[in-house]
Amino acid sequence: GEGNFLIAFVSMLISAFGGWFVWSVVTYYVGTTFFGGKADLGEMMRVIGFAYAPQVLGIIPCLGGLVGGLWALAAGFVAVRQGLDMDNTNALLTIIVAFIAYVVFRIVVGLIFGVTAFGFGLLGSLF
């Protein structure tokens, strides 16, 4: 029903913005703290935002999410290398750590909202 659509829409919205924010903050922190990158948080949020854009391909069935995710990862590598002014090795290590944190965030949000959506669906079927 309408309630399920609304819950799915809100969870995807929170997941998308939260994922971008988590990926940006973790990339900034790891890049500047451990690998000597030089940038501020606003700059990292901007370049990661551009790199995050190909994930909109996830609306295409079957391979859209995979293609969008790989494209975003490659664009994220370039964004981190340029945004933090670092070499390829440090940029790659920064991206790997930040992307792992991003994936964990997406899984946690999916579990939270998946359980919530299941509970609301169960309540809706009772009434």
Side-chain angles (χ1 to χ4, degrees), residues 77-102:
F77 170 77
V78 174
V80 167
R81 188 182 67 201
Q82 297 300 319
L84 289 172
D85 296 326
M86 51 177 48
D87 64 356
N88 289 342
T89 305
N90 289 342
L92 180 64
L93 292 173
T94 301
I95 279 294
I96 289 171
V97 171
F99 200 72
I100 289 170
Y102 164 76

Side-chain angles (χ1 to χ4, degrees), residues 33-87:
T33 305
F34 299 115
F35 299 111
K38 296 169 185 68
D40 60 4
L41 183 58
E43 185 177 0
M44 280 314 305
M45 291 179 78
R46 185 172 44 254
V47 296
I48 294 297
F50 284 117
Y52 198 79
Q55 291 195 4
V56 75
L57 293 175
I59 63 171
I60 300 172
C62 298
L63 295 177
L66 178 64
V67 171
L70 291 175
W71 189 356
L73 195 57
F77 170 77
V78 174
V80 167
R81 188 182 67 201
Q82 297 300 319
L84 289 172
D85 296 326
M86 51 177 48
D87 64 356

Side-chain angles (χ1 to χ4, degrees), residues 5-17 109-110 113-114 117:
F5 171 76
L6 183 61
I7 290 170
F9 180 76
V10 169
S11 70
M12 290 302 292
L13 194 62
I14 290 171
S15 181
F17 280 109
V109 168
F113 280 103

